[in-house]
Amino acid sequence: MQKYLLIAIGGALGSIARYGVASWVANRFGIRFPYGTLAVNISACIIIGFTMSLLGRHTDIPPAWRFLIPVGFIGAYSTFSTYEWETLVELREGAFGIAALYAIGSFAAGLGATWGGSVLGDLFG
């Protein structure tokens, strides 16, 4: 039960942080280019890279932190960072083909799914 509570707390904080960071950046740099989302995605990549590497090397850090930060906070803050982390893991393991397939496939399928969802939204909207 504790892990679900930690995920929920991290998720709430991540959602608030996402809104705050994206809004602040958009207000500062404008909305012609999605600077806010870009800032969230890149900062999430830094956070997940740091957190997962740190937690992987320090077994003295309680496992509960994995639920609070990478799963809860970063999961709500940005899933782009998880996509990048999983691609990096494949690259580090020498699975270049899997990494390329995952990276390109995720991008293409995600863009296609977004387009398809948009078409459905237009049809039913």
Side-chain angles (χ1 to χ4, degrees):
M1 187 64 170
Q2 178 191 18
K3 69 180 172 184
Y4 297 109
L5 180 61
L6 291 169
I7 292 168
I9 291 168
L13 294 172
S15 296
I16 292 166
R18 178 187 180 93
Y19 175 77
V21 169
S23 296
W24 182 84
V25 171
N27 287 335
R28 185 157 173 101
F29 296 101
I31 58 170
R32 176 70 181 103
F33 182 85
Y35 294 110
T37 301
L38 180 64
V40 166
N41 288 340
I42 300 305
S43 62
C45 290
I46 293 168
I47 295 167
I48 200 168
F50 175 80
T51 304
M52 294 299 282
S53 293
L54 185 72
L55 292 174
R57 287 193 171 90
H58 294 279
T59 56
D60 56 317
I61 298 175
W65 285 97
R66 288 187 188 275
F67 298 112
L68 180 68
I69 299 172
V71 177
F73 181 85
I74 299 172
Y77 186 65
S78 169
T79 58
F80 180 76
S81 59
T82 303
Y83 158 71
E84 293 295 337
W85 174 258
E86 291 169 346
T87 303
L88 178 62
V89 167
E90 297 298 337
L91 290 171
R92 284 182 171 173
E93 292 177 359
F96 301 111
I98 291 173
L101 180 64
Y102 179 58
I104 295 166
S106 292
F107 175 78
L111 186 59
T114 303
W115 173 79
S118 175
V119 168
L120 288 173
D122 289 343
L123 286 174
F124 293 102

